[in-house]
Structure formats: structure tokens, C-alpha cells
Amino acid sequence: MEILPERAADSTEEIYLSNVSAQLVYQAVLELPEFLRTPIVLHYYEDLSVEEIAFILAKPTGTVKSRLWRGRARLRHMLKVEYDEQSHSSIEKLS
């Protein structure tokens, strides 16, 4: 493995797919209810700690942690549904 050269920069396709994925996730974040969206945005997009978010929102850290967990779970579900719908649509086009 030591004789292999380092991998070149990401390909155009990889960069495009990464950007599309980031846009899909961000769009899903915007669809969350505000009480879940706010901690997600502050934590993942503004890089604030749970303690900082708790201070800003005037909520206990446990509440912030719970909302982050619930927000991630809701996002996971939303993105899975979107992926399943796109996959199903692609299969129908092939039929």
C-alpha cells in the first residue's frame, strides 16, 4: 500500500454528487418544525456546542440533546422516503 500514489483531487462527478446531497439534506432541514430545525442548524451549520445552544434557547442541555436526536431521526426518515420514492420512480421508468 505504501507504493500507491495518493489519490488525486475529487472528480467532478464526486463534487457534483456531494453538492446535490448537501442540498437535499439542507432542504430537508428547512422542512423540519422550528423546534427541531433550530438546534440542528445551530449545531451542524453554525458549529455551536450543545451547551451554547441551550444557553441561546434558554433550555436545559437535555432538551437540546433530545431535539437534536429527534431532528436527526426525522431527517433520516425524510431522506429515506425521498430516496425510496426516487428509486421507485427510476425503476418505473425502466419498465
Side-chain angles (χ1 to χ4, degrees), residues 28 31-32 69-85:
E31 293 175 16
L32 289 171
W69 187 89
R70 290 172 59 198
R72 286 189 302 264
R74 177 99 47 110
L75 285 171
R76 193 175 306 114
H77 174 75
M78 292 166 65
L79 294 169
K80 181 182 181 329
V81 167
E82 178 71 23
Y83 176 78
D84 289 346
E85 287 175 359

Side-chain angles (χ1 to χ4, degrees), residues 19-73:
N19 288 338
V20 168
S21 295
Q23 289 173 351
L24 287 173
V25 171
Y26 189 68
Q27 185 61 41
V29 167
L30 294 178
E31 293 175 16
L32 289 171
E34 183 180 352
F35 77 100
L36 297 176
R37 181 179 60 241
T38 301
I40 293 284
V41 169
L42 292 175
H43 189 67
Y44 292 103
Y45 292 93
E46 299 297 330
D47 293 324
L48 297 181
S49 70
V50 169
E51 291 77 17
E52 291 168 321
I53 297 168
F55 179 77
I56 290 168
L57 299 179
K59 301 287 182 190
T61 57
T63 300
V64 173
K65 289 178 183 179
S66 172
R67 290 180 180 181
L68 285 170
W69 187 89
R70 290 172 59 198
R72 286 189 302 264

Side-chain angles (χ1 to χ4, degrees), residues 3-27:
I3 61 172
L4 294 176
E6 286 192 36
R7 183 172 177 210
D10 291 339
S11 71
T12 304
E13 181 182 17
E14 290 171 326
I15 293 169
Y16 171 77
L17 291 174
S18 176
N19 288 338
V20 168
S21 295
Q23 289 173 351
L24 287 173
V25 171
Y26 189 68
Q27 185 61 41

